[in-house]
Amino acid sequence: MIVGDLFAGVDAGSATTKAVVVDGAGTVLANAVLPSGARLAESSARVLEEALARAGAHRGRVAAVVSTGYGREMVEGRTRAVTEITCHARGVQAMMPEARGVIDIGGQDSKAIALENGAVRRFEMNDKCAAGTGRFLEVMARTLEVPLDGFGPLALESTEPARLSNTCTVFAESEVISLLAQGRAPADILAGVCRAVAGRAAALAARVRLSQPCAMTGGVALNAGVVRYLGEALGFPVVLPAMPQTAGALGAALIARDLA
């Protein structure tokens, strides 16, 4: 028997953990994003408490919680754990019903999801190495001593993006250091990094024959440089839904509502 009038989704990612709370009509009441840290069970509980506080609600009103993401099995009190592919597709379908594809680039993996009538038709996932993920961008930002939130805007200032020949994070970091030693402008190097990430995502997209309109989700969607170069690599622009970073948590919350 389901008790409560609210539903929650928790996306426990490797870099950030997100929560979304919706009501019985599927209306988003609040969301929250917190760093994941080393203890995903604790960060998942904190982010859900934060989202509920922003919604002016308490845990007793939550009828069901669906977890997703890298640490979905660590979310305590979950009603069900669902894959990221399903949750991102569900979240995008709610925000962009016309979408025919999703590219999600998270902290440690990236995915291309082809949609048909809102359902997953086919997907490809890169979860074998950090190249082409948020982790890759974090390492390059640290090497270049640029704040992560300044990465995209500075990359867009480039007039001559550098070309990175290595996509492995370790070798690419060495290549970036060499480019700095050669006097290349940080903006050009950052643009080259964004272009490399976009190229890997576009390769995934080609495998599932992704077409537009295509949504981009995940924390890397907040990097304007990657968004721009991804559009160039695909041959059509990607569209950011209203809540790109919390799309997976939204999908999980809506699936939780469907359980009622």
Side-chain angles (χ1 to χ4, degrees):
M1 176 180 178
I2 292 199
V3 177
D5 61 339
L6 302 181
F7 306 89
V10 176
D11 181 356
S14 61
T16 58
T17 297
K18 292 76 69 177
V20 170
V21 177
V22 302
D23 62 16
T27 302
V28 175
L29 302 181
N31 61 58
V33 179
L34 294 176
S36 293
R39 297 179 176 84
L40 281 172
E42 293 179 12
S43 56
S44 297
R46 284 201 310 273
V47 79
L48 180 54
E49 288 175 5
E50 177 68 23
L52 286 168
R54 293 180 183 181
H58 56 80
R59 185 67 174 82
R61 289 184 59 189
V62 179
V65 178
V66 166
S67 62
T68 188
Y70 159 79
R72 59 183 178 270
E73 300 293 345
M74 300 178 193
V75 177
E76 296 178 351
R78 67 187 179 278
T79 307
R80 184 176 295 177
V82 177
T83 70
E84 297 155 84
I85 301 294
T86 298
C87 288
H88 277 268
R90 184 74 173 84
V92 167
Q93 192 272 335
M95 292 185 284
M96 279 180 57
E98 72 279 14
R100 300 183 65 184
V102 182
I103 292 181
D104 169 55
I105 305 180
Q108 71 168 20
D109 62 35
S110 54
K111 318 166 196 69
I113 309 166
L115 302 176
E116 186 170 325
N117 298 322
V120 176
R121 177 173 59 83
R122 189 177 173 188
F123 73 91
E124 286 282 344
M125 187 169 182
N126 164 35
D127 59 355
K128 303 302 182 188
C129 71
T133 69
R135 177 62 178 158
F136 182 78
L137 293 173
E138 286 180 7
V139 171
M140 298 308 152
R142 187 181 64 229
T143 303
L144 289 157
E145 299 181 343
V146 173
L148 204 53
D149 58 1
F151 200 122
L154 187 54
L156 293 179
E157 294 179 9
S158 171
T159 56
E160 190 180 356
R163 182 172 297 276
L164 297 183
S165 56
N166 288 294
T167 53
C168 167
T169 303
V170 175
F171 292 127
E173 184 178 19
S174 299
E175 191 173 6
V176 164
I177 293 172
S178 296
L179 289 168
L180 283 172
Q182 294 166 20
R184 291 299 302 265
D188 290 342
I189 301 173
L190 290 170
V193 171
C194 290
R195 179 178 276 177
V197 171
R200 289 185 70 89
L204 284 179
R207 291 182 207 162
V208 298
R209 299 180 181 176
L210 218 58
S211 58
Q212 59 178 324
C214 176
M216 183 175 180
T217 62
V220 176
L222 304 178
N223 184 314
V226 174
V227 172
R228 171 182 168 179
Y229 287 111
L230 181 55
E232 290 184 5
L234 291 170
F236 53 79
V238 291
V239 180
L240 300 188
M243 301 162 47
Q245 191 173 17
T246 54
L250 171 61
L254 293 173
I255 292 170
R257 186 196 58 161
D258 294 344
L259 297 175

